[in-house]
Amino acid sequence: MTLGRLFPFFLLALLLLGWGIWEATGLTGKDEYLLGLRIPLEMMQRDAWWVPFIDGAPRLKKPPLLYWLGRLSYEGFGPSLVAARGITVAFALLLLGCTAWLGKRLGGSLGTGLLAAGVLLGMSGMASESRRLMLDVPVAALSISAFCLYLGWLDRRRPVLLLGAAVLISGALLTKGPIALVACGGGLLALWFTRPESRSALVRHWETHALALAAALALPLYWYLHVRQHYGAQLAAAARDELEARQLMALSPDAAIGILTLALPWSFIAFHGLWQRRHRAETRFLGLWLLFTLLPFFFIRSFERYLIGSLPALALLAALALKAGTVPAWTRRLGSLVPALLATALALLLWRWQLGGWLPLAIVLSVFLILWWRRECTPRGLIASTALLWAVAWGLAFPCLGVNAVPTSLVDLARQRPVILFAGPQPALLPLLSGRAQRQTSQMDRLAATDLTPGTLLTLRAEDRPQLDRQLQALGRSARPVMAFQTLSSAGSGIRFARQGTTRADWQLAWNGRSPIPLMSTIQVLEMAP
């Protein structure tokens, strides 16, 4: 019976999260197309495993596990978006499984666990970040899996469970470094505050815990020491850059805003449940777990996606509230507003620009609004409509915009000739589509003469052309045009696709002209002259 209920849910989750990940015009972001997709390609070209490389230099700002998995997937299935993004989808399924297990443990039934997993499946952060080869979903899944195994060890005292937790923490550390400890560590702190016997178990079995800790740290520490020995200067520079980017001890409310956004449309249901059921033991545990996973991010500069590890606690709070039937209509309606506005804006753009995908999105959006704004609605209806809305929006409708579209002729050319992606980089997905890492730079003088041989292609946005011309002139070199095309192009964030410097007048022109052309970037393709 358990397998009969779990298999359909996870099969459906796989279909919803994986829908459209093969689309080159789908949701992406700079960390994916500049790093995540390219690093495994360069590792293959260099036949490097232990230390990731990008643009001819070791990539040391983040540990290597995701890039190891990327190369392994590319080697097994060939370089493709499915091979890359399928890794993140797999970790998302693991995170859903952990949430279901925790829900069953806290709520006393598998039904509560599946409710929690369904809520998590429909949270905006899971729906978007599970579609991109980036670090945040994998590290959250590994860290929370470790916490689940530790809870299992507390119940059964089987050494294999504690060893498994250590292996998973090791994997999390090898994915994103010390930040990997936040989700698992927050859970442990919440457990120690709410269950005194868990503290006594730590004291009574300190030798076992020490061995598990040593096992967890062994491989990450060995990798770090190896890199420090062989690439000490690069590692120190990467650490300085990372510390500067994070702005330690810079107090900011961004984490509070970010978690509300990341958990939509379930945010207000979860927080209302936290308040209404605050005297219950399981709610106190989940509230503390949420607090401890959020607290560090109030003191560093971070992105919303860093908070993925906080979402299971919110999903569990929402599930317990749904099970108890204590969800007022206003929490549903308020939470639905932003997702509905985003989906409406996307549907209107597709309709106005006479592109596909708007009608299915409009239908699913209508169902979503009807169910979320009714006086009464079943939890299954809320969960299904939300998960389907995100899947259709990101997997079907958004790719119809044609963001980052690349002509087939350019892909074929890039498979035959070396390419330098200048600034940008644009076209964002050209390296993966061509199956070659390509080279990216904003400073041509840092390239070796062998990188600038006649016939080498240069790709860039038209707005970056003056900068390139100045740099080539300083080098005494020149480039001649090969082709040019227009496309909407990613600008860092996944949903920012208009040309740099676009004004309100440009948007008005695109709307009135029923065409996205006024918002498009012109991508130029040049070749190095002799």
Side-chain angles (χ1 to χ4, degrees):
M1 176 62 73
T2 298
L3 183 60
R5 297 177 68 184
L6 287 176
F7 180 76
F9 173 81
F10 283 98
L11 179 60
L12 181 61
L14 173 62
L15 293 174
L16 293 174
L17 292 175
W19 191 356
I21 62 172
W22 53 84
E23 297 284 0
T25 55
L27 185 69
T28 187
K30 194 167 186 177
D31 280 358
E32 183 189 46
Y33 62 74
L34 181 64
L35 301 172
L37 299 177
R38 292 175 62 231
I39 289 174
L41 287 172
E42 184 154 339
M43 291 169 68
M44 290 173 66
Q45 290 174 199
R46 300 174 63 95
D47 195 23
W49 274 105
W50 186 239
V51 178
F53 274 78
I54 189 67
D55 296 322
R59 170 66 182 179
L60 305 177
K61 286 188 178 181
K62 294 293 188 291
L65 180 61
L66 191 66
Y67 309 125
W68 291 347
L69 294 176
R71 178 177 174 182
L72 191 65
S73 185
Y74 286 176
E75 295 278 9
F77 304 105
S80 70
L81 286 169
V82 172
R85 293 170 174 170
I87 296 169
T88 321
V89 172
F91 278 112
L93 293 176
L94 175 61
L95 190 56
L96 290 172
C98 292
T99 304
W101 184 84
L102 288 167
K104 180 182 178 182
R105 181 186 178 92
L106 293 173
S109 69
L110 179 60
T112 306
L114 289 176
L115 271 183
V119 169
L120 182 60
L121 178 63
M123 287 183 167
S124 65
M126 276 291 289
S128 59
E129 298 310 316
S130 299
R131 298 178 166 276
R132 308 190 285 183
L133 182 63
M134 293 168 68
L135 302 169
D136 307 285
V137 170
V139 74
L142 290 167
S143 188
I144 291 174
S145 298
F147 177 60
C148 290
L149 286 184
Y150 184 78
L151 286 177
W153 177 83
L154 285 176
D155 293 339
R156 304 180 186 180
R157 295 294 195 274
R158 292 182 180 176
V160 67
L161 295 175
L162 201 57
L163 178 61
V167 170
L168 289 167
I169 283 295
S170 180
L173 289 169
L174 281 168
T175 301
K176 207 173 180 182
I179 203 170
L181 302 176
V182 172
C184 181
L188 291 176
L189 285 174
L191 193 68
W192 294 337
F193 270 95
T194 56
R195 284 183 54 184
E197 67 273 16
S198 65
R199 298 196 300 270
S200 61
L202 176 64
V203 174
R204 288 198 309 271
H205 301 277
W206 68 268
E207 302 98 330
T208 307
H209 283 80
L211 288 173
L213 180 62
L217 295 177
L219 187 57
L221 187 59
Y222 179 76
W223 183 85
Y224 171 79
L225 293 175
H226 172 89
V227 168
R228 184 180 178 184
Q229 180 181 359
H230 292 84
Y231 307 100
Q234 295 96 319
L235 181 63
R240 286 194 301 270
D241 291 344
E242 192 68 11
L243 288 172
E244 183 179 346
R246 298 286 73 82
Q247 298 177 13
L248 297 182
M249 303 311 295
L251 188 62
S252 169
D254 289 351
I257 300 169
I259 195 63
L260 282 173
T261 306
L262 213 62
L264 287 172
W266 298 97
S267 314
F268 299 101
I269 293 175
F271 281 108
H272 182 270
L274 174 61
W275 175 253
Q276 285 290 100
R277 300 165 54 83
R278 62 189 180 278
H279 300 300
R280 295 178 176 270
E282 66 272 15
T283 306
R284 289 199 301 272
F285 162 72
L286 291 172
L288 286 172
W289 187 16
L290 177 64
L291 174 65
F292 291 140
T293 56
L294 289 177
L295 198 58
F297 298 103
F298 285 100
F299 299 95
I300 63 172
R301 180 180 179 273
S302 61
F303 299 99
E304 287 180 2
R305 64 178 185 269
Y306 289 18
L307 307 177
I308 292 290
S310 301
L311 293 184
L314 279 176
L316 290 160
L317 287 167
L320 291 173
L322 290 170
K323 180 184 177 184
T326 58
V327 178
W330 70 264
T331 58
R332 291 188 278 111
R333 293 168 182 168
L334 186 59
S336 71
L337 290 178
V338 172
L341 288 172
L342 290 174
T344 300
L346 177 57
L348 284 173
L349 288 178
L350 291 169
W351 166 77
R352 187 66 180 175
W353 293 339
Q354 304 176 68
L355 301 172
W358 68 270
L359 184 57
L361 180 57
I363 293 172
V364 173
L365 174 60
S366 300
V367 173
F368 170 80
L369 285 173
I370 290 170
L371 293 177
W372 278 74
W373 279 74
R374 289 176 60 182
R375 186 181 298 273
E376 300 289 341
C377 184
T378 64
R380 286 186 179 182
L382 296 175
I383 288 170
S385 63
T386 307
L388 189 59
L389 176 66
W390 291 126
V392 171
W394 294 133
L396 175 64
F398 187 84
C400 291
L401 286 173
V403 180
N404 297 317
V406 185
T408 304
S409 58
L410 177 56
V411 175
D412 293 338
L413 202 58
R415 287 175 177 151
Q416 303 166 14
R417 295 163 65 175
V419 178
I420 296 173
L421 305 166
F422 183 75
Q426 289 296 335
L429 275 294
L430 182 61
L432 186 68
L433 295 176
S434 66
R436 302 169 65 188
Q438 314 298 3
R439 189 70 184 265
Q440 189 276 332
T441 186
S442 297
Q443 297 174 295
M444 299 293 289
D445 58 353
R446 292 192 174 183
L447 299 178
T450 53
D451 294 323
L452 299 175
T453 55
T456 297
L457 298 178
L458 297 165
T459 66
L460 68 158
R461 301 172 302 176
E463 51 264 41
D464 296 321
R465 181 65 185 273
Q467 180 185 358
L468 175 66
D469 287 341
R470 288 193 299 270
Q471 293 188 22
L472 288 177
Q473 186 178 12
L475 293 172
R477 301 294 302 273
S478 63
R480 55 196 177 203
V482 174
M483 64 181 293
F485 62 95
Q486 288 187 301
T487 186
L488 298 173
S489 59
S490 291
S493 169
I495 59 175
R496 288 170 49 208
F497 51 77
R499 184 187 71 254
Q500 184 178 345
T502 297
T503 64
R504 182 177 179 180
D506 294 320
W507 279 97
Q508 190 69 45
L509 189 61
W511 180 265
N512 293 337
R514 303 182 68 89
S515 170
I517 290 177
L519 308 176
M520 288 183 173
S521 298
T522 297
I523 308 300
Q524 298 182 358
V525 182
L526 315 174
E527 67 176 358
M528 293 297 300

